[in-house]
Amino acid sequence: MSESRLTDSKINSDLLAPVNKPGRGWYATVTVSALVVAAALGALVYQFSNGLGVWGINRPVFWALDITNFVFWIGISHAGTLISAILRVTGAEWRRPVTRCAEAITVFALMIGALFPIIHLGKPQLFYWMVPYPSERGLWPNFRSPLMWDFFAINTYLLGSIIYLYLPLIPDLALLRDKSSGLFRRLYGALSLGWRGTQLQWDRLERAVRVMAVIIIPVAVSVHTIVSWDFAMTIRPMWHSTMFGPYFVAGAIFSGIAALILAMAVIRRVFRLEAYLRPVHFNNLGLLLLTMSLIWFYFTFSEYLTSWYGNAPEEMSVFRSKISGPYASMFWASVICCFVIPAPILAIKRLRTIKGCMIASALVVIGMWLERFLIIVPTLVQPRLTFNWGAYRPTWVEITLTAGTFGYFVLLYALFTRLFPIIAVWEYKEGLPLGEHGEPTVVDLTDAELERA
Amino acid sequence: METQLLVFDTREEAVAALRELERDGVDASAITVMSSEPLHLEHDGSTAGAAGASRAKSRISGYGIAGGVIGATLAILLTVLTSKSVGIITGGMPIVSPWAFGIIVFEMCALGAILVTLGRMIYESGLLTRTTAESYDDAVSDGKIVVAVCLAEEGLGD
């Protein structure tokens, strides 16, 4: 139980501190992530000057780490908007300090994921050729292609997520406007659209956020279902599966929650937000992560058992390469990281601490990246006709680009926390149980009391 | 007409002042309550305080549905007209694929609903208008509750 009592000014100063005085941890994070991004940019320039031949891809593996990263980051994007929307729709009160951390993850993860199909084009400057419209260039926009579905789904989700992040940010932008001066005052003033906090504005904002939450849930589910159909709509071994949609969605939510827990733990530590991001939030998200770990294991088991039981030769070659062949070490590492270690940590209450949740989440993120790789590469390496089998080994360019995605994500996230409050100030104040400023608040309650509230 | 801003530290004080204004016969439409968080004053039975929220019935949900219909219609037009206009030779096979196109229609339906909801919310809440010193006080950001009363000059003295 905290001794301090929260007043409006204390909440403002605590939650705006990352914007006003980011601290040494923030500068260290930005410096390291910027260096990683610079290395990735160097690799990208090298690739653009020398062509896609500098990657390890070759016949029959035309997509490898780039589509692994694409699927992985689109999956991570399910951390935010979807989880935030579900928590809002269900009225989960503990969501309040969590939602913005989550929504920001979605936007940045989507931005990074959506880069990869463009990078992979070979001539990325012509990416706009993918935009479907009655063609003057004689191109035929094939609306039956899952890649075209991706184009619409990802763009809808990205735009929807940006708006869903922005709407509840408006009152906090007005707060920043009132607390800043000079150029920043003008910037926040423009972004806050003249918000005054009238009861009419609050009413309309809450309505709009509720409507958005309802719309965005099916969109989020559709996005990863469509990403899974990039694979499932082909007749490749171990891809052509009716359960790929839900399997991908479950995996996406799984990795998304893990990323959210990691982000929250870092934010809590770097910005000293222990009073706001409390053990109860990690406990609840840890339970969600445990649920998704069990669901992921169930889906994986069902998928692999069905392939094994069917015993189709082309399926079995891919199956064996994962279970006991060249990809076995990655496969078992993925199972260990996604289920064997995290499940007990998250299931045993004594281990489900902030540190326990962090360890489990870090393992899940690693395991899910491996899982995405294992879905894609072994099937591409071993197509149905054996004369066409090949091999794949990533080059330094692909590895640097992959590391760069993580650096870029951290950099974007860090810059976001420098410009905007990472915990929604007004939502947090609104959630104070007694609703009275200066009275006992969330911080004064024990975790058990908060859970009951 | 002149606007007077009254600043209160607590919700109770603001509600008491609103009741007083009501008793004095000040029209609810002349009162605007500003705060750093939603107050849901309708729960206090204050018609003046609640007036801000209920003055006009919200049509955000309805517009959201209409936005969805518009988005879906545009998607149908885009996919069907574009496919037909290319003139690809299909040997008599259909060029329009309702199941595959349905996915794009679904996404654009959602996009239409999202964009129209945002637009309607901005319109209904009177955003994108200039915040003037007469209509706003920075004290709102410090957690104060500001009540703006817009009255004819002779009424302000009372």
Side-chain angles (χ1 to χ4, degrees):
Chain A
M1 210 142 124
S2 165
E3 289 302 315
S4 65
R5 292 198 163 180
L6 290 188
T7 57
D8 258 88
S9 56
K10 170 132 178 73
I11 295 172
N12 285 353
S13 69
D14 284 353
L15 297 184
L16 298 186
V19 178
N20 298 327
K21 283 177 278 175
R24 269 185 295 182
W26 185 85
Y27 286 106
T29 308
V30 167
T31 307
V32 172
S33 56
L35 286 174
V36 177
V37 171
L41 280 176
L44 204 57
V45 170
Y46 179 73
Q47 178 210 314
F48 288 160
S49 343
N50 294 279
L52 281 177
V54 299
W55 285 7
I57 53 174
N58 208 334
R59 193 173 62 87
V61 184
F62 295 114
W63 290 73
L65 279 203
D66 51 344
I67 198 145
T68 301
N69 288 324
F70 167 72
V71 177
F72 173 77
W73 284 108
I74 299 291
I76 293 290
S77 76
H78 280 58
T81 305
L82 179 62
I83 293 166
S84 162
I86 290 170
L87 294 178
R88 274 188 213 277
V89 168
T90 54
E93 280 300 308
W94 61 271
R95 73 171 195 275
R96 292 177 186 277
V98 175
T99 48
R100 189 163 302 150
C101 302
E103 290 155 13
I105 289 178
T106 294
V107 172
F108 301 135
L110 273 177
M111 283 165 60
I112 293 167
L115 274 179
F116 275 91
I118 296 171
I119 292 173
H120 185 266
L121 285 176
K123 287 191 174 179
Q125 69 274 20
L126 299 180
F127 79 94
Y128 63 90
W129 284 23
M130 288 160 67
V131 177
Y133 59 90
S135 179
E136 281 117 30
R137 288 187 297 273
L139 294 171
W140 180 48
N142 184 2
F143 294 109
R144 278 177 280 195
S145 161
L147 287 174
M148 190 66 92
W149 305 342
D150 268 341
F151 177 87
F152 282 94
I154 291 172
N155 283 312
T156 299
Y157 191 40
L158 179 59
L159 202 56
S161 296
I162 291 172
I163 293 171
Y164 189 69
L165 170 69
Y166 175 65
L167 270 184
L169 194 60
I170 294 174
D172 288 347
L173 289 167
L175 173 65
L176 285 164
R177 172 197 64 201
D178 294 345
K179 299 281 176 198
S180 55
S181 57
L183 179 66
F184 280 100
R185 188 178 176 89
R186 282 209 295 279
L187 173 73
Y188 291 129
L191 289 173
S192 61
L193 309 177
W195 178 269
R196 292 187 298 145
T198 66
Q199 300 315 296
L200 179 76
Q201 290 178 338
W202 283 118
D203 178 73
R204 298 308 187 254
L205 177 75
E206 288 188 318
R207 276 175 204 274
V209 171
R210 275 200 301 272
V211 172
M212 290 277 185
V214 172
I215 300 169
I216 211 84
I217 292 172
V219 172
V221 171
S222 78
V223 170
H224 223 63
T225 305
I226 290 170
V227 169
S228 82
W229 287 345
D230 289 344
F231 308 100
M233 293 298 179
T234 69
I235 49 170
R236 293 270 188 160
M238 292 199 81
W239 280 4
H240 192 53
S241 161
T242 54
M243 62 179 274
F244 244 41
Y247 183 32
F248 265 54
V249 172
I253 298 172
F254 185 33
S255 58
I257 295 170
L260 174 59
I261 291 175
L262 279 178
M264 280 172 50
V266 173
I267 287 165
R268 183 178 191 267
R269 183 75 185 265
V270 171
F271 297 127
R272 305 245 169 262
L273 293 175
E274 289 88 351
Y276 300 87
L277 295 170
R278 307 194 59 189
V280 67
H281 300 117
F282 290 87
N283 179 65
N284 291 355
L285 285 171
L287 286 172
L288 268 177
L289 191 65
L290 172 64
T291 309
M292 296 315 300
S293 174
L294 297 172
I295 292 173
W296 175 85
F297 183 76
Y298 165 68
F299 272 124
T300 306
F301 182 73
S302 301
E303 178 70 8
Y304 281 72
L305 180 71
T306 310
S307 294
W308 173 78
Y309 202 82
N311 203 26
E314 64 276 11
E315 294 258 332
M316 285 310 287
S317 57
V318 178
F319 177 86
R320 284 200 197 94
S321 74
K322 294 191 202 181
I323 299 295
S324 55
Y327 300 103
S329 55
M330 289 178 86
F331 175 79
W332 292 111
S334 149
V335 173
I336 289 167
C337 288
C338 290
F339 181 73
V340 176
I341 299 176
I345 290 178
L346 298 167
I348 299 166
K349 195 168 183 182
R350 198 160 44 84
L351 300 177
R352 204 171 49 242
T353 57
I354 295 177
K355 197 178 274 181
C357 287
M358 268 188 77
I359 293 168
S361 301
L363 287 171
V364 168
V365 169
I366 295 166
M368 284 307 295
W369 190 90
L370 291 173
E371 195 239 23
R372 301 318 192 185
F373 181 88
L374 287 164
I375 286 175
I376 295 156
V377 174
T379 293
L380 288 174
V381 166
Q382 298 160 98
R384 286 177 183 270
L385 298 175
T386 51
F387 78 88
N388 205 21
W389 283 14
Y392 170 72
R393 188 173 284 274
T395 64
W396 69 268
V397 180
E398 289 159 290
I399 292 168
T400 312
L401 280 176
T402 301
T405 62
F406 288 89
Y408 191 34
F409 177 80
V410 173
L411 183 64
L412 288 173
Y413 208 80
L415 292 175
F416 182 83
T417 60
R418 180 74 177 87
L419 289 171
F420 309 106
I422 195 63
I423 292 178
V425 181
W426 71 270
E427 278 198 273
Y428 187 81
K429 288 180 188 171
E430 193 195 16
L432 299 180
L434 299 181
E436 298 293 341
H437 302 221
E439 290 295 318
T441 63
V442 172
V443 179
D444 300 308
L445 300 176
T446 63
D447 284 340
E449 285 168 337
L450 184 63
E451 230 168 326
R452 279 201 297 278
Chain B
M1 298 290 273
E2 196 171 313
T3 303
Q4 190 163 343
L5 299 178
L6 313 169
V7 182
F8 301 97
D9 285 330
T10 65
R11 180 197 177 95
E12 282 70 33
E13 289 171 15
V15 169
L18 288 171
R19 291 215 172 106
E20 210 164 310
L21 286 168
E22 269 178 60
R23 272 200 300 275
D24 291 346
V26 177
D27 190 54
S29 62
I31 302 171
T32 307
V33 183
M34 289 169 272
S35 58
S36 63
E37 63 191 276
L39 293 176
H40 301 291
L41 287 169
E42 61 275 14
H43 300 319
D44 295 278
S46 163
T47 51
S54 59
R55 200 173 295 152
K57 191 173 175 290
S58 173
R59 292 199 169 85
I60 289 176
S61 309
Y63 269 79
I65 293 168
V69 172
I70 293 167
T73 308
L74 289 175
I76 293 168
L77 291 174
L78 173 74
T79 49
V80 174
L81 295 183
T82 304
S83 297
K84 287 193 166 181
S85 72
V86 173
I88 195 165
I89 297 162
T90 59
M93 297 297 282
I95 191 78
V96 174
S97 170
W99 282 104
F101 290 7
I103 293 163
I104 294 167
V105 173
F106 170 80
E107 298 298 338
M108 284 191 65
C109 171
L111 185 61
I114 288 168
L115 292 176
V116 172
T117 301
L118 173 71
R120 185 68 192 174
M121 179 262 166
I122 290 173
Y123 173 75
E124 280 192 13
S125 54
L127 292 175
L128 286 176
T129 51
R130 200 171 179 82
T131 306
T132 58
E134 294 78 39
S135 62
Y136 184 69
D137 190 318
D138 279 7
V140 170
S141 291
D142 295 324
K144 310 282 187 210
I145 296 168
V146 175
V147 177
V149 188
C150 183
L151 286 176
E153 281 188 37
E154 63 272 21
L156 285 172
D158 303 331

